[in-house]
């Protein structure tokens, strides 16, 4: 089944789009570009946002990410030799914030990330994960198609 776009949300709320772009840019400042794209892609996979998956996989490649690491992203914790512990901690935090299974981020997941990131970078990472979840939800709600589709 191919979903039909419901509306072009940004045409109706360009001020919201600009605010989101500003938040996104602020959140990613100082976060490694490759790690940024891994996090953005993983959250988008979980949220099933085709538009964002398409965009962030392309951006990951441009940032120097390998095909192997993109392919294994769904199973990042199963392939210890593919991602660094810092990346794995960031991806685990991404999953915890995105899913919020029990309504909170488990202490062990947060502590794992806190051991790998200084507080300012961890704060930006949390903001980045929160931002991509907002982008995902707006794109999924309006069924925004991947670029060129």
């Amino acid at each position: 089944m191919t979903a039909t776009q419901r509306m072009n949300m940004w045409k109706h709320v360009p001020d919201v789009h600009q605010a989101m772009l500003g938040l996104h840019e602020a959140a990613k400042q100082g976060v490694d570009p490759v790690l940024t794209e891994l996090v953005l892609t993983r959250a988008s996979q979980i949220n099933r946002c085709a538009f964002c998956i398409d965009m962030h996989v392309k951006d990951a490649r441009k940032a120097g990410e390998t095909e192997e690491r993109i392919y294994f992203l769904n199973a990042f914790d199963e392939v210890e030799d593919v991602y660094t512990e810092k990346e794995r901690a960031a991806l685990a935090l991404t999953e915890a914030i995105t899913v919020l299974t029990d309504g909170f981020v488990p202490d062990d997941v947060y502590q794992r990330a806190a051991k790998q990131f200084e507080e300012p970078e961890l704060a930006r990472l949390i903001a980045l994960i929160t931002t991509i979840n907002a982008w995902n939800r707006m794109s999924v709600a309006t069924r925004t198609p991947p670029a060129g589709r």
Side-chain angles (χ1 to χ4, degrees):
M1 174 183 117
T2 302
T4 302
Q5 185 170 9
R6 291 175 171 157
M7 77 161 135
N8 179 342
M9 183 171 166
W10 308 125
K11 179 176 99 177
H12 300 291
V13 290
D15 55 333
V16 173
H17 188 244
Q18 285 304 310
M20 287 292 297
L21 286 171
L23 177 61
H24 180 77
E25 288 303 314
K28 71 180 193 175
Q29 292 302 310
V31 180
D32 176 81
V34 172
L35 179 62
T36 294
E37 295 308 327
L38 289 174
V39 164
L40 299 177
T41 301
R42 185 65 193 121
S44 299
Q45 289 172 333
I46 294 166
N47 289 322
R48 300 180 60 189
C49 181
F51 176 83
C52 295
I53 293 168
D54 179 62
M55 178 188 347
H56 295 297
V57 165
K58 289 174 181 172
D59 289 347
R61 288 180 182 127
K62 288 178 193 170
E65 191 52 86
T66 66
E67 293 301 308
E68 178 185 48
R69 286 167 44 95
I70 292 169
Y71 299 149
F72 282 128
L73 198 51
N74 284 339
F76 72 90
D77 247 353
E78 300 297 319
V79 286
E80 292 183 23
D81 61 332
V82 175
Y83 303 98
T84 67
E85 180 52 34
K86 186 173 186 174
E87 290 167 336
R88 290 160 38 98
L91 292 167
L93 185 63
T94 300
E95 289 190 354
I97 292 172
T98 299
V99 177
L100 289 176
T101 305
D102 294 317
F104 60 91
V105 174
D107 289 339
D108 64 322
V109 173
Y110 184 86
Q111 290 305 319
R112 180 180 181 186
K115 287 179 184 174
Q116 297 296 321
F117 295 90
E118 297 292 326
E119 280 193 352
E121 189 178 15
L122 181 58
R124 291 207 182 264
L125 181 61
I126 291 168
L128 186 64
I129 296 164
T130 302
T131 303
I132 190 59
N133 274 281
W135 283 116
N136 290 163
R137 283 158 173 75
M138 288 184 263
S139 293
V140 169
T142 59
R143 293 188 179 152
T144 303
R149 297 192 71 90

